[in-house]
Amino acid sequence: MDTNLDLVSKNYGLWEIKSSCVLQWWVVNSTYKVITSKWSFLFQKLNKKIFSIKKLYDYLNFYKIYSKQFFLPRLYFSGTWDPFFQWDNRYWRVWDYIDNDKCDVDEHIVYQAGCWLAKFHNIWYKTGYKSSNKKFHDIQRYLKKLQKIILKDSNPLKFAKIRHYHDYILSELKIYNSRNFKQNILIHWDAKLWNILFKNREFLTLIDYDTISNDNVYVELWDAFRSWAKTPDYTFDKDLFLAGIAWYNKFSLIHTDKELILDNVWYIILELLIRFIIDYFEEDFFVWDKSNFATASDYHVFRIQKYIWYYEDIIRYKNFL
């Protein structure tokens, strides 16, 4: 457990900590559920590769607007009245902890997720809010970064271990006919089911807005639906995929085309795989499960293998159609 939790709690003027635990599903930031004598909180030690003071204040501006229209966990201000606490060259944030249930994914859960993601988009479709965040989806940027890493890497054996994955992904990209979409609305960009909270199988809130940026809504839907339709054994559940599209379209002000989503969901997975290879080399982006993997690189190889399997299962379904 992080020894700085008590220090963070005192800076925020919170009660004495009674207990705390690591929340394993938060893979970018080290995140803790902290229980005091009067309330439960979420403490986040933020990834220093992502967060800057500017980004944290940009998020605050978004939070002030959005929290008036949507239920969000309360964001606390530190002893210096900042939306963060800085200590030992790291930023911390504190939120209310929202009690929620882990749900088995079925069409009822996907129905609610699609409904509320549509309502989230409707808000920004009407207001035209602009984020200063760099567009998260940019496969060419990731490709350039990966090639620089490979050229500079001093350990040729490390690249050799995953070269066949690297070559396979690049060969798949060559047969993909990319389409250019005009940027238009603010999107969440990480609307996976672990960022959608449920209680008693009913929607509570959508969380984790650190990747919000302005982009085409299709980019959001490719990433969301490929996540919602992924089974625990990394196969593609077409019924969940089609349910997500149907319920999203029922509530959205923006009509989307089922075939256009299915045609391009592959592309998002290829981009993910490129980012996973980057993570394999850099090793310090994600919080990883040390009880199951000897190194961060081993964890990223596991992710690459599983997502190639998932990618190929989607292709099998598409070809069957």
Side-chain angles (χ1 to χ4, degrees):
M1 194 60 62
D2 197 299
T3 57
N4 289 316
L5 293 181
D6 283 322
L7 181 67
V8 174
S9 182
K10 288 177 182 177
N11 182 270
Y12 276 85
L14 303 178
W15 297 278
E16 180 183 356
I17 293 176
K18 299 298 183 182
S19 64
S20 60
C21 64
V22 178
L23 299 182
Q24 297 286 359
W25 62 86
W26 292 78
V27 295
V28 175
N29 305 306
S30 298
T31 304
Y32 307 88
K33 179 182 179 183
V34 175
I35 300 175
T36 71
S37 57
K38 295 187 178 181
W39 201 250
S40 297
F41 301 92
L42 201 71
F43 284 24
Q44 282 189 313
K45 182 164 69 172
L46 302 176
N47 190 313
K48 60 185 178 181
K49 294 190 68 173
I50 301 175
F51 289 90
S52 63
I53 289 179
K54 180 180 183 303
K55 185 176 179 69
L56 289 165
Y57 274 106
D58 285 347
Y59 174 78
L60 179 63
N61 293 332
F62 163 83
Y63 175 84
K64 287 178 178 178
I65 297 171
Y66 188 48
S67 60
K68 294 177 182 178
Q69 305 182 64
F70 230 63
F71 167 66
L72 290 179
R74 177 183 174 185
L75 174 65
Y76 285 82
F77 286 79
S78 66
T80 55
W81 284 100
D82 293 307
F84 59 86
F85 170 54
Q86 186 173 7
W87 177 257
D88 196 22
N89 199 33
R90 295 293 291 270
Y91 297 114
W92 289 77
R93 281 191 307 204
V94 174
W95 312 80
D96 279 338
Y97 176 79
I98 304 299
D99 187 35
N100 63 95
D101 300 327
K102 184 177 179 180
C103 299
D104 293 332
V105 182
D106 56 21
E107 289 193 25
H108 176 73
I109 294 298
V110 169
Y111 152 72
Q112 294 192 74
C115 166
W116 286 99
L117 184 60
K119 291 180 179 181
F120 171 81
H121 289 159
N122 291 345
I123 291 171
W124 307 113
Y125 182 69
K126 292 176 181 177
T127 63
Y129 180 90
K130 298 293 183 182
S131 169
S132 62
N133 284 349
K134 182 165 56 176
K135 189 170 69 167
F136 194 71
H137 165 70
D138 190 342
I139 197 167
Q140 294 304 319
R141 184 175 83 239
Y142 294 126
L143 280 169
K144 289 176 182 177
K145 181 176 181 179
L146 176 58
Q147 296 313 310
K148 286 181 180 178
I149 289 172
I150 291 171
L151 289 172
K152 290 171 62 177
D153 190 68
S154 59
N155 184 356
L157 293 178
K158 189 168 187 178
F159 178 51
K161 185 176 179 181
I162 53 91
R163 179 159 195 157
H164 55 298
Y165 299 132
H166 168 273
D167 293 347
Y168 172 77
I169 294 163
L170 295 190
S171 68
E172 291 297 299
L173 277 171
K174 289 178 182 178
I175 63 174
Y176 175 83
N177 295 318
S178 63
R179 308 185 189 191
N180 293 319
F181 294 96
K182 183 180 178 182
Q183 298 179 29
N184 53 8
I185 66 167
L186 188 78
I187 63 174
H188 183 281
W189 232 121
D190 199 16
K192 302 173 183 64
L193 286 177
W194 64 59
N195 283 330
I196 303 174
L197 303 187
F198 298 89
K199 186 67 178 176
N200 298 323
R201 295 182 52 79
E202 298 300 320
F203 175 86
L204 279 176
T205 188
L206 176 65
I207 61 170
D208 194 0
Y209 297 91
D210 296 324
T211 53
I212 58 170
S213 61
N214 291 89
D215 210 331
N216 189 279
V217 69
Y218 277 99
V219 176
E220 177 97 287
L221 301 182
W222 300 337
D223 192 50
F225 295 157
R226 65 92 193 160
S227 170
W228 302 356
K230 180 172 67 64
T231 67
D233 58 354
Y234 288 80
T235 57
F236 179 68
D237 188 320
K238 65 178 179 61
D239 293 329
L240 292 181
F241 184 84
L242 296 175
I245 296 173
W247 289 114
Y248 176 87
N249 279 335
K250 182 177 177 64
F251 293 96
S252 177
L253 297 175
I254 311 162
H255 176 74
T256 57
D257 182 84
K258 176 180 70 175
E259 292 304 316
L260 194 56
I261 295 171
L262 187 56
D263 281 346
N264 291 273
V265 72
W266 314 349
Y267 193 56
I268 286 295
I269 299 180
L270 292 173
E271 180 182 287
L272 272 174
L273 286 163
I274 293 166
R275 288 165 46 204
F276 291 170
I277 295 178
I278 292 172
D279 296 335
Y280 166 79
F281 283 103
E282 293 187 334
E283 296 194 35
D284 61 351
F285 186 81
F286 282 91
V287 178
W288 51 282
D289 183 1
K290 297 180 181 179
S291 64
N292 288 317
F293 300 95
T295 67
S297 290
D298 290 339
Y299 168 64
H300 295 308
V301 169
F302 170 81
R303 297 166 77 212
I304 292 165
Q305 292 169 337
K306 291 297 185 180
Y307 267 88
I308 286 177
W309 173 261
Y310 185 46
Y311 169 80
E312 291 177 340
D313 200 46
I314 292 176
I315 290 177
R316 284 191 286 270
Y317 170 71
K318 177 63 178 173
N319 290 340
F320 178 75
L321 289 181

